[in-house]
Amino acid sequence: MDDLRQRIEAGEVDTVVLAFTDMQGRLQGKRLHGRYFLDHVVGHGTEGCNYLLAVDVDMNTVDGYAMTSWEQGYGDMEFVMDEQTIRLLPWLPATVMVQCDLEWADHRPVSASPRAILKAQLDRLAERGLVALAGTELELVIYDDTYEEAARKGWTDLTPANQYNVDYSILGTTRVEPLLRDIRNHMYAAGLDVEGAKGECNFGQHEIGFLFNDALTTADNHAVYKNAAKEIAAQHGKSVTFMAKPNQREGNSCHIHMSLRGADGELVFWDEEKDARTPLYDRFIAGVLATAADFTLFFAPNINSYKRFADGSFAPTTLGWGMDNRTCAMRLVGRGAGARMENRIPGADANPYLALAAMIAGGLHGIDEELELEPELTGNAYASDKARVPSTMGAARERFHTSAVARAALGDEVVEHYTNMADVELASYNATVTDWELRRGFERL
């Protein structure tokens, strides 16, 4: 904060973005003039309307949320700056961002805030002397159309940045390297540890990877990256989407790698003397597997999310685990300090705070209940007889709403809040006449 003050006073920074992550995983907040920020916000705080955690994707106010409504008057939440998140936004002139927690006027945390939900699960780990390390792998599809052109076209007939499968293709990434390079370099300058970029299977699909970090930092960085990638793409006259299934080809995933360490950094997932997994690691895996269907709503939070789960798509359809097996929902990779589990269920539309919180809650259930890990699944998980990933948002909503594990870990208030989010989306979708219906039935029915 002292450095930020000096930069504002020297005229190097004139804009401070205060942002939090909403239910849908988007950054929301306000831009403040640098001088106003120093004179009136530092040490005092600022506010935002509590409807920001009770709207749909289109920002419509909707019914059913206990924390806010027309009857309650749509009051304010306090933005509480986390000074550990101060970062330059080098793709925007003279701009800095600070990410925030949300509190009520009496300084109680807003329980339904995604960042608060993750922090609550991290606190549960801390009570056991554990910390979570995580990395998220986000895929996106790049289009040569601007966002405005895409809207005018009704988001159809867009031109992908590559016209063929560029998975691992150096030529394919070179074709869009001006954008990819800009995103990588700006993200590094904004404090993210960039690994690299690679092509993926869908036309125009790519992945930019980042080094793992503690789970909260990973979620904060994830939210910044998704927002920044869209802003930088717009500066290049292009658009990108993180939709789970933007078309009939391969969807956009968000594979989440996670491991636990002791409070002092000691290994708890690997027994170095035996060169083998520890019982705690096996129980954690067993817990994540046992609760995966209960928490699928946090891994796949939109109607579109469920279109991604298809056999032979590299998105899982069954709930099993395997060693370095990409057909499984849970893939185990690495040894020693690199031993970790990869959850392949989430799509790129997942809210990182909620998805990480769900994995930790499930893993702690496995540890606390001393669940036994089922045998490894070998071969093709798509052809196995394992329980299946919920295939619709309605099914995932039911599992989440009735889950004793979710209620015990997250609390009734959070479960009811996000069940209502699902209900709002389901009601809106069920009332919508789609282009598919018109094509099928306008003349022929």
Side-chain angles (χ1 to χ4, degrees):
M1 185 62 78
D2 289 340
D3 181 70
L4 176 54
R5 180 184 296 276
Q6 291 171 14
R7 289 172 185 261
I8 292 173
E9 291 176 342
E12 298 173 22
V13 170
D14 57 37
T15 302
V16 179
V17 177
L18 293 189
F20 71 94
T21 305
D22 69 4
M23 291 192 297
Q24 291 81 9
R26 305 171 298 189
L27 290 179
Q28 306 283 18
K30 55 179 74 173
R31 279 178 161 80
L32 304 176
H33 187 273
R35 189 73 252 173
Y36 174 83
F37 173 78
L38 291 184
D39 293 345
H40 298 282
V41 177
V42 175
H44 303 284
T46 188
E47 306 81 25
C49 181
N50 61 27
Y51 97 127
L52 292 167
L53 283 179
V55 292
D56 64 11
V57 175
D58 287 327
M59 301 300 291
N60 296 312
T61 52
V62 292
D63 294 331
Y65 289 108
M67 61 176 274
T68 187
S69 65
W70 291 111
E71 288 71 26
Q72 296 178 61
Y74 287 112
D76 275 344
M77 305 178 289
E78 303 281 344
F79 288 15
V80 181
M81 293 182 288
D82 183 343
E83 295 185 14
Q84 299 300 312
T85 69
I86 296 174
R87 71 179 83 226
L88 289 167
L89 304 185
W91 62 96
L92 300 174
T95 301
V96 161
M97 177 182 286
V98 190
Q99 287 166 277
C100 300
D101 288 306
L102 299 174
E103 292 183 354
W104 299 116
D106 61 3
H107 303 301
R108 288 180 299 114
V110 177
S111 298
S113 161
R115 201 168 193 260
I117 291 170
L118 176 55
K119 289 175 76 172
Q121 298 310 304
L122 295 175
D123 287 345
R124 295 180 66 210
L125 281 176
E127 292 169 359
R128 296 159 172 82
L130 299 170
V131 298
L133 302 179
T136 55
E137 300 177 333
L138 271 169
E139 294 169 348
L140 73 164
V141 177
I142 304 170
Y143 294 100
D144 288 336
D145 311 83
T146 67
Y147 282 108
E148 292 74 18
E149 289 167 347
R152 284 195 292 271
K153 291 181 176 181
W155 298 278
T156 61
D157 299 323
L158 305 183
T159 303
N162 303 95
Q163 279 69 52
Y164 53 88
N165 182 331
V166 295
D167 196 19
Y168 286 95
S169 167
I170 297 301
L171 177 61
T173 49
T174 299
R175 295 288 296 274
V176 289
E177 177 62 0
L179 173 58
L180 295 176
R181 179 175 180 268
D182 222 11
I183 294 174
R184 291 196 310 271
N185 288 340
H186 281 316
M187 291 301 91
Y188 184 79
L192 283 71
D193 290 319
V194 181
E195 290 187 357
K198 65 173 288 292
E200 291 288 348
C201 298
N202 202 337
F203 297 172
Q205 188 178 49
H206 295 265
E207 176 186 295
I208 298 176
F210 301 90
L211 192 65
F212 71 91
N213 212 316
D214 70 88
L216 184 62
T217 299
T218 288
D220 289 340
N221 288 346
H222 178 124
V224 169
Y225 162 61
K226 281 187 73 173
N227 193 76
K230 295 175 184 178
E231 292 177 343
I232 297 168
Q235 292 172 354
H236 282 253
K238 298 181 184 294
S239 56
V240 302
T241 184
F242 292 93
M243 281 183 67
K245 190 73 168 173
N247 53 41
Q248 296 302 113
R249 288 185 61 86
E250 295 80 7
N252 287 322
S253 69
C254 174
H255 300 149
I256 299 179
H257 293 250
M258 181 176 285
S259 65
L260 301 185
R261 295 281 178 90
D264 296 324
E266 65 271 21
L267 300 184
V268 297
F269 270 9
W270 200 261
D271 187 323
E272 292 187 286
E273 290 185 6
K274 296 180 179 179
D275 192 29
R277 299 192 309 270
T278 63
L280 183 140
Y281 187 8
D282 281 1
R283 289 167 184 163
F284 190 87
I285 301 164
V288 175
L289 265 180
T291 60
D294 291 16
F295 286 117
T296 294
L297 187 64
F298 277 6
F299 302 141
N302 300 295
I303 296 287
N304 177 257
S305 309
Y306 296 83
K307 308 288 176 69
R308 179 174 150 266
F309 301 133
D311 289 347
S313 66
F314 287 102
T317 58
T318 59
L319 296 172
W321 72 275
M323 297 298 301
D324 197 13
N325 185 339
R326 284 184 168 87
T327 72
C328 292
M330 305 299 161
R331 170 179 171 246
L332 270 55
V333 289
R335 308 177 71 82
R340 63 199 186 276
M341 68 179 305
E342 178 192 52
N343 181 354
R344 297 178 62 81
I345 299 175
D349 60 337
N351 184 318
Y353 300 91
L354 301 181
L356 288 166
M359 285 185 70
I360 294 168
L364 284 176
H365 172 68
I367 292 171
D368 291 347
E369 298 299 320
E370 298 184 354
L371 297 185
E372 184 176 344
L373 182 60
E374 64 187 45
E376 175 190 0
L377 192 158
T378 58
N380 183 0
Y382 294 112
S384 75
D385 60 357
K386 295 290 185 183
R388 300 188 68 83
V389 177
S391 59
T392 66
M393 191 175 186
R397 179 259 187 221
E398 283 304 305
R399 286 296 298 260
F400 179 71
H401 187 251
T402 59
S403 170
V405 174
R407 290 183 179 274
L410 307 177
D412 289 338
E413 180 181 350
V414 168
V415 171
E416 294 298 332
H417 191 92
Y418 284 90
T419 297
N420 191 68
M421 184 182 83
D423 289 341
V424 167
E425 291 301 297
L426 287 164
S428 177
Y429 182 72
N430 290 336
T432 298
V433 178
T434 66
D435 59 346
W436 182 87
E437 293 167 275
L438 290 170
R439 286 197 307 272
R440 301 274 284 196
F442 187 88
E443 177 179 345
R444 289 175 284 188
L445 297 182

